[in-house]
C-alpha cells in the first residue's frame, strides 16, 4: 500500500474554515493519500502579539511536510503586521506562482468562452521585497529588485510547465521600454532561455498593450510569464474575466517547498453562513495532488467538480437563473462534488493528468553567474531641499566635485532640470545630483566617492541617500534618466 503524504493545513480566517472543511471532505471521498497536520495562522495569531501571523512551532510542521494547503487569512488593519503570504513565499523559497485561469462557458458567465490561460508569476522579487523609504517631506520610494537568478528560474519554470502540461506557447510581459535595466534583464533572460525549448513558441509583449490584449482576446495566449507585480495584478484580472476570481486556485512552488491556496481573500462578511464557494481552494488542492504525485486523485476530483458545475449545482456567487439548476451552500456543494467522484463531465472538457508521473517536475535552478570587472563611474547624490531651484543647487554644489570629477546633471523625479532644464517642469523637494569622472571612460575609487559625499555635505545641503554608478564588464549598470 502506498504511503500517505504528510501535508500541513491551515484553516485560516473568515470563510477559510468552511471552505477548507469542504475541500478536505472532497479529497477524502476521492481517496487522497494524505496525512493532515493542522496549524493555526492568521488573525488570532496576529492579535496574540505575533506580527508575522504564524507561530514559530508552525514552521516545524512545514519543514516536515514541505507541502502547505492554506485557506485565506485576515491581516488586521493598521501598521506593524507583515503579509503572511509574502513571508511564507520568501521563507520557503516559493519563487513560482502558478494561476490557471479557465472559463467554464456556459455554466459560469463570461465574455470569453474559450479562455484557458496559465499565469506564471515570479514570487520573491520586484517591488514585493517591500523595501520602501521616505526620502523627504514630499517623496517616498519603493525599490524594484530584479535578479538574474530569480528571473532565470521563473522563465525556465514557465517553459518546463508548458512542456509538462502540453502547452504550446509561452509569452513574456514586461515594461522594458521604460525600465530598461530591471524589466530589461527579465526580458533578456527570456530571450536567452526560449531557444532551449524549440518545441514551444515564445513571444513577448509590453505589459500595457499585452494586458489589453489579454482582456480582449485571451484565447491568443497560453502560458504567460512575468515579474511579480504584473503577475499579481493580471492573474486577478484574468481569473475574473474567465468567470470569477472565486473559482481560481493558486500554487506557489519552490525547490523544496510548495504552498497551495485560493487566490481570493477571507471574505469575513460571508463567514459562518454556509454560502462560500470552495472551488478556488479545491482547485488549489488539485494542483497540490498533482505536485505530490497523486495525479490519479487530482483527475478524479477535478472531473467531479466539472461534472457538478455542468449539472448546474452552484453556490450563490455563480448562480444564474436559466443556467443553474440548484443553489446550494458550501457543505452541499462539497457533498455534490464528492458524490460525483468517478464521473466525468459530458459537455465541458474532461481533464487528463499524467498519472504515470509520481512527482512534480523538478523545479529549475539558475545557471552560475560569472563575476565580471566592476568599474565605478560616479555617484548619484539625493538631496532634500524644498526652497531651492536647479540652478541655485548646481551653483552651490558643483565646486564640491573635486579633482577629476564633475557635476554632470541634476534631476527631479527622473527628469533632467540642470543644465538646460525647462523652466516650467514641476519639481518637488527631492533632487538627484549626478557626479561622474571627467574622463568619459574614467573611473573613481570608493574612497573618491566617500570624499565627494563629505565635500557635498560640507556645502550645507541635506543628503538623503546616494547610489553608485557602476559598469560591469564595460556595460553601463545605471539609467540615463537624469537626462544626459
Amino acid at each position: 500500500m502506498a504511503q500517505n503524504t504528510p501535508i500541513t493545513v491551515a484553516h485560516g480566517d473568515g470563510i477559510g474554515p468552511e471552505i477548507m472543511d469542504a475541500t478536505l471532505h472532497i479529497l477524502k471521498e476521492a481517496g487522497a493519500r494524505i496525512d493532515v497536520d493542522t496549524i493555526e495562522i492568521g488573525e488570532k495569531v496576529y492579535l496574540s502579539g505575533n506580527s508575522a501571523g504564524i507561530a514559530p512551532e508552525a514552521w516545524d510542521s512545514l519543514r516536515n511536510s514541505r507541502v502547505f494547503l492554506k485557506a485565506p487569512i485576515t491581516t488586521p488593519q493598521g501598521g506593524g503586521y507583515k503579509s503572511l503570504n509574502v513571508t511564507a513565499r520568501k521563507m520557503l523559497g516559493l519563487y513560482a506562482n502558478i494561476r490557471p485561469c479557465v472559463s467554464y462557458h456556459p455554466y459560469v458567465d463570461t465574455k470569453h468562452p474559450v479562455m484557458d490561460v496559465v499565469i506564471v508569476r515570479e514570487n520573491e522579487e520586484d517591488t514585493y521585497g517591500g523595501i520602501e523609504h521616505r526620502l523627504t517631506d514630499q517623496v517616498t520610494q519603493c525599490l524594484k529588485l530584479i535578479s538574474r537568478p530569480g528571473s532565470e528560474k521563473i522563465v525556465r519554470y514557465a517553459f518546463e510547465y508548458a512542456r509538462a502540461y502540453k502547452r504550446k506557447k509561452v509569452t513574456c510581459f514586461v515594461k522594458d521600454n521604460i525600465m530598461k535595466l530591471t524589466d530589461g534583464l527579465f526580458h533578456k533572460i527570456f530571450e536567452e532561455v526560449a531557444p532551449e525549448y524549440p518545441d514551444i513558441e515564445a513571444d513577448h509583449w509590453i505589459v500595457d498593450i499585452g494586458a489589453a490584449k489579454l482582456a480582449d482576446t485571451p484565447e491568443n495566449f497560453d502560458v504567460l510569464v512575468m515579474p511579480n507585480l504584473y503577475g499579481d495584478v493580471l492573474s486577478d484580472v484574468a481569473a475574473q474575466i474567465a468567470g470569477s476570481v472565486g473559482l481560481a486556485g493558486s500554487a506557489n512552488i519552490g525547490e523544496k517547498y510548495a504552498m497551495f491556496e485560493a487566490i481570493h481573500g477571507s471574505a469575513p462578511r460571508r463567514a459562518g453562513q454556509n454560502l462560500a464557494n470552495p472551488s478556488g481552494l479545491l482547485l488549489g488542492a488539485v494542483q497540490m495532488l498533482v505536485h505530490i504525485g497523486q495525479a490519479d486523485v487530482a483527475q478524479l476530483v477535478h472531473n467531479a467538480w466539472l461534472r457538478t458545475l455542468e449539472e448546474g449545482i452552484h453556490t450563490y456567487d455563480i448562480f444564474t437563473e436559466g443556467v443553474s439548476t440548484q443553489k446550494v451552500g458550501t457543505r452541499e456543494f462539497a457533498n455534490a462534488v464528492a458524490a460525483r467522484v468517478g464521473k466525468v463531465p459530458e459537455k465541458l472538457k474532461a481533464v487528463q493528468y499524467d498519472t504515470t508521473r509520481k512527482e512534480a517536475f523538478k523545479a529549475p535552478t539558475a545557471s552560475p553567474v560569472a563575476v565580471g570587472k566592476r568599474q565605478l563611474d560616479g555617484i548619484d547624490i539625493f538631496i532634500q531641499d524644498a526652497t531651492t531651484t536647479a540652478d541655485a543647487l548646481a551653483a552651490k554644489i558643483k565646486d564640491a566635485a573635486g579633482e577629476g570629477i564633475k557635476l554632470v546633471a541634476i534631476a527631479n523625479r527622473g527628469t533632467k532640470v540642470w543644465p538646460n532644464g525647462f523652466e516650467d517642469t514641476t519639481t518637488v523637494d527631492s533632487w538627484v545630483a549626478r557626479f561622474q569622472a571627467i574622463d568619459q571612460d574614467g573611473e573613481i575609487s570608493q574612497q573618491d566617492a566617500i570624499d565627494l559625499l563629505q565635500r557635498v555635505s560640507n556645502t550645507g545641503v541635506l543628503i538623503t541617500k546616494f547610489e553608485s554608478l557602476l559598469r560591469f564588464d564595460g556595460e553601463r549598470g545605471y539609467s540615463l534618466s537624469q537626462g544626459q
Side-chain angles (χ1 to χ4, degrees):
M1 181 178 295
Q3 186 176 2
N4 285 359
T5 300
I7 68 169
T8 299
V9 166
H11 287 253
D13 302 312
I15 62 172
E18 297 168 82
I19 64 173
M20 181 60 78
D21 287 344
T23 296
L24 292 177
H25 171 64
I26 295 167
L27 298 190
K28 178 182 177 182
E29 293 301 306
R33 301 178 291 278
I34 56 176
D35 289 327
V36 172
D37 183 27
T38 301
I39 62 172
E40 188 167 338
I41 63 171
E43 191 170 34
K44 289 181 181 178
V45 180
Y46 281 119
L47 297 179
S48 71
N50 185 327
S51 64
I54 180 170
E57 56 270 20
W59 291 111
D60 295 333
S61 175
L62 291 170
R63 290 188 187 97
N64 176 58
S65 72
R66 301 190 176 190
V67 178
F68 190 15
L69 181 61
K70 184 182 77 65
I73 66 165
T74 299
T75 303
Q77 292 185 349
Y81 299 109
K82 300 177 184 177
S83 165
L84 179 57
N85 275 350
V86 173
T87 298
R89 289 166 186 163
K90 287 180 169 290
M91 292 284 288
L92 302 178
L94 307 178
Y95 68 85
N97 181 221
I98 300 91
R99 294 183 173 184
C101 302
V102 183
S103 60
Y104 304 101
H105 177 79
Y107 308 102
V108 179
D109 187 39
T110 177
K111 295 181 176 66
H112 304 290
V114 294
M115 181 174 175
D116 185 358
V117 173
V118 177
I119 293 182
V120 178
R121 162 195 171 200
E122 197 288 318
N123 222 12
E124 297 180 292
E125 308 187 331
D126 200 356
T127 54
Y128 282 53
I131 305 171
E132 297 184 291
H133 305 90
R134 181 171 177 176
L135 297 182
T136 69
D137 293 330
Q138 299 174 4
V139 176
T140 59
Q141 74 167 11
C142 178
L143 297 184
K144 178 186 178 91
L145 302 178
I146 301 289
S147 74
R148 172 170 281 276
S151 299
E152 184 181 350
K153 284 196 299 182
I154 196 63
V155 168
R156 288 191 181 279
Y157 191 96
F159 280 98
E160 290 289 338
Y161 182 98
R163 182 175 282 173
Y165 289 92
K166 297 180 173 56
R167 298 272 177 163
K168 296 179 180 179
K169 182 169 69 171
V170 177
T171 302
C172 173
F173 278 8
V174 287
K175 187 68 176 175
D176 60 338
N177 59 329
I178 302 299
M179 287 164 283
K180 300 179 185 300
L181 292 179
T182 49
D183 284 27
L185 176 61
F186 194 97
H187 186 191
K188 178 183 178 182
I189 292 171
F190 179 83
E191 298 295 342
E192 291 174 358
V193 170
E196 298 179 27
Y197 298 85
D199 51 318
I200 300 169
E201 182 184 350
D203 66 351
H204 158 261
W205 289 81
I206 297 297
V207 66
D208 43 10
I209 186 60
K213 291 289 187 181
L214 175 64
D216 181 61
T217 51
E219 61 272 17
N220 290 338
F221 298 101
D222 195 352
V223 176
L224 295 172
V225 63
M226 60 194 83
N228 204 335
L229 178 59
Y230 310 144
D232 192 10
V233 173
L234 291 184
S235 58
D236 275 18
V237 171
Q240 186 61 31
I241 66 173
S244 172
V245 170
L247 300 182
S250 174
N252 302 270
I253 307 295
E255 294 178 22
K256 295 182 178 180
Y257 299 89
M259 179 172 72
F260 304 88
E261 57 190 344
I263 74 171
H264 59 73
S266 60
R269 289 182 297 174
R270 301 296 186 189
Q273 300 172 47
N274 192 38
L275 289 173
N277 189 339
S279 295
L281 183 59
L282 180 64
L283 293 182
V286 167
Q287 292 176 279
M288 178 194 73
L289 291 169
V290 174
H291 178 81
I292 63 177
Q294 297 186 30
D296 55 335
V297 184
Q299 188 166 296
L300 287 172
V301 171
H302 203 159
N303 281 326
W305 179 80
L306 289 169
R307 180 64 177 261
T308 305
L309 208 62
E310 74 173 18
E311 288 188 17
I313 303 171
H314 297 163
T315 47
Y316 81 98
D317 56 315
I318 60 171
F319 184 89
T320 304
E321 293 288 349
V323 175
S324 305
T325 60
Q326 186 179 356
K327 183 186 290 187
V328 295
T330 310
R331 289 188 297 272
E332 293 75 20
F333 183 81
N335 290 336
V337 175
R340 286 159 179 77
V341 168
K343 296 183 178 181
V344 297
E346 296 179 343
K347 297 176 182 177
L348 292 171
K349 183 181 178 181
V351 297
Q352 287 187 310
Y353 292 107
D354 182 359
T355 56
T356 64
R357 185 188 294 272
K358 297 307 177 186
E359 59 182 15
F361 62 83
K362 186 173 177 58
T365 56
S367 306
V369 178
V371 177
K373 180 185 177 183
R374 173 186 170 113
Q375 173 181 319
L376 181 61
D377 289 352
I379 58 174
D380 281 343
I381 301 178
F382 289 66
I383 296 168
Q384 176 178 346
D385 195 320
T387 60
T388 194
T389 64
D391 288 342
L393 180 59
K396 188 172 187 178
I397 65 175
K398 65 180 180 180
D399 290 338
E403 185 177 352
I405 303 174
K406 64 179 178 180
L407 175 67
V408 296
I410 296 176
N412 197 285
R413 293 185 294 177
T415 301
K416 176 188 169 185
V417 291
W418 182 91
N420 305 318
F422 185 59
E423 62 182 8
D424 292 324
T425 299
T426 302
T427 60
V428 294
D429 67 346
S430 184
W431 310 81
V432 183
R434 174 162 289 182
F435 289 87
Q436 287 185 260
I438 290 175
D439 182 351
Q440 187 173 0
D441 296 320
E443 179 178 6
I444 71 172
S445 69
Q446 181 170 285
Q447 188 60 52
D448 290 335
I450 293 170
D451 293 343
L452 172 59
L453 283 166
Q454 184 62 63
R455 290 193 299 271
V456 173
S457 177
N458 289 344
T459 68
V461 300
L462 178 59
I463 297 174
T464 58
K465 63 173 286 192
F466 77 94
E467 296 282 355
S468 298
L469 306 177
L470 293 165
R471 288 182 185 269
F472 297 85
D473 290 330
E475 183 177 349
R476 179 171 45 81
Y478 52 92
S479 69
L480 292 180
S481 61
Q482 310 295 19
Q484 292 172 264

